[in-house]
Amino acid sequence: MSQFRVGIGNDIHLLVEGRRLILGGVEIPYERGLLGHSDGDSLTHAITDALLGAAALGDIGSHFSDLDTRWAGADSLVFLRHVRGLLEDLRFEIANIDATILAERPKMAPHVAEMKTRLAGAMGIDQSQINIKAKTNEGLDAIGCGEAIGAQAVALIVVQTNGL
Ligand code: MG
């Protein structure tokens, strides 16, 4: 007997000069990067929040405070690996992740395969269990003006119960 649980994640970071652009754990060559206490990886943050939401474990800020110097400049895949451990402790298994990057520039398609490899590795799942899409914001709002990159994610997790 299984119980399915779904979670949603949403994140956005400002694009600024003098920062590396990291999305899905992959460094993407670009003239600007995402501003944040950690590496600013909005895709990884959205997925982390979706998993926490599915497990009713709060949000990324409550687990990894931006006031905590341990997370300054942190590789956000560390957050994802930590949440994977929390889920395992609660006997949750990840069924699948679906995510969308919202970015006007640069092109994400050349980097999606590597993002999937890194994210799946951090979560301990197969690449067939994660989908990453990318779209522009049609020139609208901060994302469309190239001032920020956002991401959305949903996660489905399954709780394994005893009593077959
Ligand atoms: Mg964030």
Side-chain angles (χ1 to χ4, degrees):
M1 185 179 170
S2 298
Q3 184 184 347
F4 294 92
R5 304 178 53 128
V6 68
I8 187 169
N10 184 26
D11 197 38
I12 188 168
H13 284 265
L14 198 61
L15 274 168
V16 297
E17 291 182 359
R19 294 269 299 183
R20 296 183 304 151
L21 176 57
I22 311 282
L23 282 168
V26 177
E27 181 165 354
I28 298 170
Y30 193 51
E31 66 218 25
R32 288 176 294 160
L34 295 171
L35 183 64
H37 183 67
S38 64
D39 60 10
D41 184 340
S42 51
L43 174 60
T44 300
H45 294 179
I47 293 171
T48 302
D49 251 352
L51 289 170
L52 287 169
L57 289 173
D59 61 28
I60 193 168
S62 62
H63 289 268
F64 311 101
S65 168
D66 59 10
L67 301 176
D68 190 329
T69 54
R70 277 183 299 170
W71 313 126
D75 173 356
S76 293
L77 293 179
V78 168
F79 304 156
L80 202 49
R81 280 189 212 102
H82 179 80
V83 170
R84 168 193 178 180
L86 297 178
L87 296 182
E88 285 173 355
D89 290 346
L90 294 169
R91 307 189 70 240
F92 285 119
E93 283 182 14
I94 298 169
N96 78 297
I97 301 287
D98 186 23
T100 303
I101 301 166
L102 301 164
E104 213 66 13
R105 286 176 300 277
K107 289 282 184 207
M108 296 296 158
H111 309 288
V112 164
E114 182 65 17
M115 291 177 190
K116 287 176 65 174
T117 298
R118 303 236 176 144
L119 291 164
M123 288 183 277
I125 61 175
D126 191 83
Q127 288 191 41
S128 64
Q129 294 170 274
I130 178 167
N131 189 60
I132 299 172
K133 308 180 293 300
K135 60 191 299 175
T136 72
N137 214 34
E138 299 288 336
L140 297 167
D141 298 334
I143 289 170
C145 292
E147 295 171 359
I149 291 178
Q152 302 164 335
V154 289
L156 186 70
I157 63 174
V158 186
V159 58
Q160 300 298 331
T161 54
N162 290 324
L164 295 173

